[in-house]
Amino acid sequence: MNSVVGHKIAYFHFISTDPGKGNLIIMDQKFNFVKQHFINEPGQPELVMVEPIQIRWDGKIIYRRYLDNNIYVLDENDDPQILYSLNFGKNSFKLEEIKGLEDNEEKEKVNSSRGDLRYFAESKDIAYILFYDCRKPIVSIWDKRKNKIFTCPSSNINGSKVGKFPAAIRNAFSESFINTINPERINEKIVTNKHIYSGDNPALYRLHQ
């Protein structure tokens, strides 16, 4: 098992890449096994995602796994149900197409395709994803109120308060998002201590919609 990345009152939720075990493992508060989902099969692509388990703005737990275009929500029995199924359009692929490929074939397929969802965060009204298009990071923002989607390369994003930064929104509350950025990139006007040096700890900001 790799890490404890989420929990609720009764259970802990773990991510595992061990062959033959579930990618999502659920245990009780005494670390007794409860259940597992998505068994790690031989030849299946492996990567420990950033924030693969999150507590959603409404208190529900959501789960993602590497190269899976589905985002899951755990129901009252801690069983995963598809919350969103992402369609990346032409030149995309599904997890089933990657399974069984040799490492070099898998890498070539992923690097020449659109997909590979890396970040997901969702507030009550806005959903944010970062994925790759032929290894170029792309940000897509869905305004659920208007049912409109805005998509652009992440390099095009320029925040007036935080300066130009690589988009890495990690999580969300009901009406705001959490983002981590290098302190050297922060606009000095909003920094109390202007003496920022390379190697300082990253800054954590809560970005309101």
Side-chain angles (χ1 to χ4, degrees):
M1 296 181 185
N2 297 94
S3 60
V4 180
V5 290
H7 74 279
K8 63 180 184 179
I9 296 176
Y11 297 135
F12 290 97
H13 300 74
F14 295 81
I15 293 296
S16 171
T17 57
D18 294 343
K21 293 186 178 180
N23 185 254
L24 174 62
I25 295 179
I26 302 171
M27 294 184 174
D28 64 19
Q29 293 184 353
K30 294 184 178 180
F31 293 97
N32 296 310
F33 176 85
V34 176
K35 61 175 61 177
Q36 61 184 352
H37 300 290
F38 301 106
I39 301 299
N40 295 313
E41 303 171 0
Q44 179 175 314
E46 293 182 3
L47 181 70
V48 179
M49 305 286 289
V50 176
E51 303 284 359
I53 300 172
Q54 299 177 14
I55 298 179
R56 196 168 176 246
W57 61 270
D58 59 1
K60 296 180 179 179
I61 293 178
I62 56 177
Y63 158 80
R64 300 183 294 115
R65 59 177 179 158
Y66 182 49
L67 299 183
D68 190 339
N69 293 339
N70 294 321
I71 297 170
Y72 301 89
V73 62
L74 301 188
D75 62 19
E76 62 275 7
N77 298 314
D78 272 300
D79 294 324
Q81 307 295 333
I82 294 178
L83 176 65
Y84 299 119
S85 185
L86 304 180
N87 182 353
F88 291 105
K90 295 181 180 179
N91 198 34
S92 61
F93 61 88
K94 295 182 179 180
L95 178 59
E96 291 72 21
E97 301 175 35
I98 304 293
K99 290 181 179 179
L101 294 181
E102 298 292 334
D103 289 346
N104 61 328
E105 294 176 322
E106 174 193 321
K107 184 176 180 180
E108 181 179 352
K109 178 70 173 177
V110 173
N111 289 348
S112 61
S113 302
R114 181 185 297 119
D116 190 2
L117 173 65
R118 289 302 181 91
Y119 293 94
F120 173 81
E122 179 187 28
S123 69
K124 181 179 180 180
D125 298 319
I126 303 291
Y128 162 96
I129 68 171
L130 186 147
F131 63 96
Y132 283 95
D133 187 353
C134 297
R135 304 318 303 157
K136 295 181 180 179
I138 306 295
V139 167
S140 190
I141 298 174
W142 173 31
D143 186 336
K144 294 185 285 184
R145 297 162 297 187
K146 300 177 181 179
N147 196 26
K148 292 185 177 181
I149 298 175
F150 171 78
T151 302
C152 73
S154 66
S155 59
N156 288 7
I157 296 178
N158 185 34
S160 60
K161 290 187 177 181
V162 295
K164 190 174 183 180
F165 63 95
I169 291 178
R170 303 288 292 271
N171 217 316
F173 296 105
S174 177
E175 297 181 354
S176 58
F177 290 86
I178 290 294
N179 189 18
T180 55
I181 57 177
N182 188 319
E184 293 178 303
R185 296 174 179 266
I186 301 175
N187 187 325
E188 288 190 351
K189 293 180 180 179
I190 62 169
V191 179
T192 301
N193 180 5
K194 296 182 180 181
H195 302 290
I196 300 173
Y197 303 98
S198 177
D200 288 348
N201 289 330
L204 180 65
Y205 270 81
R206 180 169 174 171
L207 307 178
H208 291 272
Q209 297 168 191

